[in-house]
Amino acid sequence: MKIQTLIEEKVDNLEHYLACLISHSMEKGYQIAVWRKPHASFLEVMIDKSGQTKRVDIHALEELQAGFIAHPFEDQEDEKGFYIEADSYLKIDIKKPLDEQDAALEVLPQIIPREDCNTLIRNSFVPEKKSSHIKISEECTKNEFLHLVNKGIEAIATGALNKIVPARIKKKSLSDDFDLISVFKSLIDSYPNAFVNFFHIPQVGSWIGASPEILIQTKGEQFYTMSLAGTQKAHGENPLKNAAWTQKEIEEQALVSRYIVDCFKKIRLREYDEHGPKTVLAGNLLHLRSDFKVNMKTTNFPQLGSVMLSLLHPTSAVCGMPRKEAFEFLRINEKFDRSLFAGFIGPVNVEEVTAIYVNLRTARLMDGQAILYAGAGVTEDSDPEKEWEETEMKCEIIGKHLN
């Protein structure tokens, strides 16, 4: 029995097992993804042992083998995304003791002490100079970001844009005893409503995050997406009831909802359910969210997931509106490469479910440091100082756990 072998080899608990599994995979040059969906009580783990950096067509998700996709913010010339294909797939109950999960723990890693796992993981973080796909830029100063926001407000005032979402990076040093598994567990405990994830692709890097936003989900005959925008800090014992939204925030979220409806109109889809907006909690922040559902069988649209993914990305919540003009503004004026930030990630065709999330509240883990990413929605009523404060709050959602 695998469990008995694990116990004999002195695996202390589920966290130790996970540490051994991840460190072994990274040391071998495998690709690995670990995630916990919102409100789920189990972890999912996927390992690709091929040693190849795979890329797949995002226009035909329904035809792919089970896997985990990671697509940059900026479309590649061939519009493909990085793909971790499931050589091994595990589903582990977080709440059950290790010795009760023999059926789940199908992969038996090399058992080594926890502290040695930590060292192997840290040594496997891809240095910037060795990454062939991802570039890292310098942090911008507060004044530089304020200037960028003001430039966006000016463009909106001329009528060239309705909304723009400028972003920035923030670098944080990692300690010599950085423990990935403890950080991952801390994110799971702190953010039950988020898609908590870690993935490692040797030529792309190691990323960790807790995204609050589904881009598209297909489950059986049901399609789902959401519009999530507007941000304020949660206050008090009952922050959902205490929330008061400004006209700027309400309009910002309404723009995202209208964009989704416009996408439905483009494909002549009229039968959909819309609910919201309502206030939702994501970590220590509040957002406004509307939910959209479509029955793919009733509408005779089995490929709706792939079609809407192409239409929605990048959403106005991470780019702006009109999308083409906003994207061009960011390309010219942002002084860093967003890489996978504000792109999309998630499992594809795993147990007949595809759940793809916008890659928000994320950090790239590197040798000795983490790169944090955050953006802010700018409209004509924006206050540049408040937009800076919003990016600071968003960086801290992950940053405060990276001790």
Side-chain angles (χ1 to χ4, degrees):
M1 286 180 65
K2 288 183 172 58
I3 290 294
Q4 187 59 44
T5 305
L6 289 170
I7 292 171
E8 288 172 358
E9 294 286 347
K10 299 189 178 177
V11 173
D12 302 321
N13 49 38
L14 189 55
E15 291 175 43
H16 188 187
Y17 171 80
L18 197 59
C20 290
L21 192 64
I22 292 175
S23 62
H24 175 75
S25 296
M26 292 175 74
E27 186 187 26
K28 290 287 187 183
Y30 299 160
Q31 301 169 66
I32 184 168
V34 185
W35 66 91
R36 194 240 29 216
K37 289 181 181 176
H39 310 294
S41 62
F42 51 85
L43 290 178
E44 296 175 75
V45 182
M46 190 169 287
I47 302 172
D48 184 329
K49 303 177 183 178
S50 68
Q52 301 173 0
T53 303
K54 298 172 183 174
R55 301 176 70 248
V56 295
D57 185 354
I58 67 169
H59 301 291
L61 293 183
E62 293 80 8
E63 299 172 13
L64 295 176
Q65 297 295 317
F68 185 97
I69 197 166
H71 189 284
F73 168 73
E74 186 170 350
D75 270 338
Q76 308 303 286
E77 197 169 317
D78 58 8
E79 297 188 358
K80 290 186 175 182
F82 300 107
Y83 205 62
I84 299 173
E85 202 164 317
D87 289 329
S88 297
Y89 169 71
L90 310 175
K91 194 171 180 180
I92 307 169
D93 195 317
I94 299 170
K95 297 180 180 179
K96 278 188 178 180
L98 188 70
D99 58 5
E100 295 179 14
Q101 300 203 60
D102 191 43
L105 307 182
E106 296 174 359
V107 178
L108 184 62
Q110 180 182 0
I111 308 304
I112 62 174
R114 177 73 179 272
E115 57 271 20
D116 292 345
C117 292
N118 296 341
T119 301
L120 286 172
I121 289 171
R122 289 195 302 273
N123 289 344
S124 298
F125 291 154
V126 183
E128 177 183 349
K129 62 185 179 181
K130 290 188 179 180
S131 174
S132 60
H133 292 283
I134 302 296
K135 298 176 182 177
I136 300 297
S137 307
E138 290 304 312
E139 296 175 274
C140 73
T141 65
K142 181 179 179 180
N143 283 337
E144 287 170 335
F145 186 75
L146 296 180
H147 176 71
L148 177 58
V149 172
N150 277 315
K151 208 167 183 178
I153 293 172
E154 290 170 7
I156 292 168
T158 67
L161 299 170
N162 296 326
K163 173 186 174 181
I164 192 69
V165 188
R168 54 180 278 251
I169 62 172
K170 183 175 183 178
K171 297 186 178 182
K172 181 181 176 72
S173 297
L174 299 179
S175 65
D176 292 339
D177 59 352
F178 175 79
D179 185 336
L180 174 70
I181 307 304
S182 293
V183 172
F184 193 78
K185 183 178 185 301
S186 180
L187 293 177
I188 285 174
D189 293 341
S190 300
Y191 306 129
N193 302 329
F195 176 68
V196 177
N197 62 90
F198 167 78
F199 60 95
H200 171 79
I201 303 173
Q203 292 300 312
V204 177
S206 306
W207 295 72
I208 192 167
S211 176
E213 183 175 354
I214 286 179
L215 185 55
I216 64 107
Q217 177 177 284
T218 59
K219 186 176 183 181
E221 299 169 355
Q222 296 298 316
F223 168 87
Y224 170 79
T225 188
M226 67 167 66
S227 62
L228 187 79
T231 302
Q232 63 176 272
K233 199 163 187 177
H235 294 288
E237 292 184 3
N238 196 336
L240 294 177
K241 286 191 176 180
N242 294 334
W245 296 99
T246 66
Q247 187 60 37
K248 178 260 182 188
E249 293 159 333
I250 292 169
E251 178 60 24
E252 183 186 345
Q253 195 270 341
L255 283 170
V256 183
S257 292
R258 284 202 291 272
Y259 183 74
I260 291 173
V261 172
D262 285 345
C263 288
F264 287 152
K265 288 180 180 177
K266 279 183 184 177
I267 56 176
R268 299 192 173 108
L269 179 67
R270 296 179 178 85
E271 298 176 44
Y272 61 87
D273 294 323
E274 178 181 356
H275 301 281
K278 61 182 178 182
T279 302
V280 295
L281 183 66
N284 63 340
L285 298 181
L286 297 173
H287 304 287
L288 281 168
R289 190 184 85 198
S290 294
D291 300 318
F292 297 83
K293 297 179 181 179
V294 179
N295 186 303
M296 295 186 292
K297 184 176 182 180
T298 301
T299 56
N300 193 28
F301 215 141
Q303 292 184 311
L304 184 60
S306 292
V307 171
M308 285 298 291
L309 179 64
S310 298
L311 289 173
L312 289 174
H313 173 74
T315 70
S316 58
V318 297
C319 181
M321 286 186 71
R323 185 169 72 168
K324 183 179 177 182
E325 288 78 2
F327 183 86
E328 187 64 14
F329 176 93
L330 295 174
R331 188 187 66 80
I332 294 170
N333 293 287
E334 275 189 354
K335 303 302 181 186
F336 77 105
D337 181 357
R338 289 193 178 192
S339 60
L340 297 181
F341 165 68
F344 55 82
I345 57 173
V348 176
N349 298 330
V350 176
E351 297 185 334
E352 299 183 355
V353 177
T354 292
I356 295 179
Y357 296 75
V358 184
N359 192 22
L360 302 173
R361 317 297 185 265
T362 187
R364 185 183 177 199
L365 302 174
M366 303 180 69
D367 186 16
Q369 69 175 346
I371 311 297
L372 302 164
Y373 300 79
V378 173
T379 66
E380 60 183 347
D381 299 320
S382 285
D383 178 340
E385 282 284 344
K386 288 184 178 178
E387 304 302 351
W388 169 265
E389 291 168 9
E390 181 175 322
T391 62
E392 284 286 281
M393 286 192 299
K394 287 176 176 176
C395 282
E396 275 304 291
I397 286 177
I398 301 301
K400 67 184 179 183
H401 295 272
L402 300 177
N403 299 322

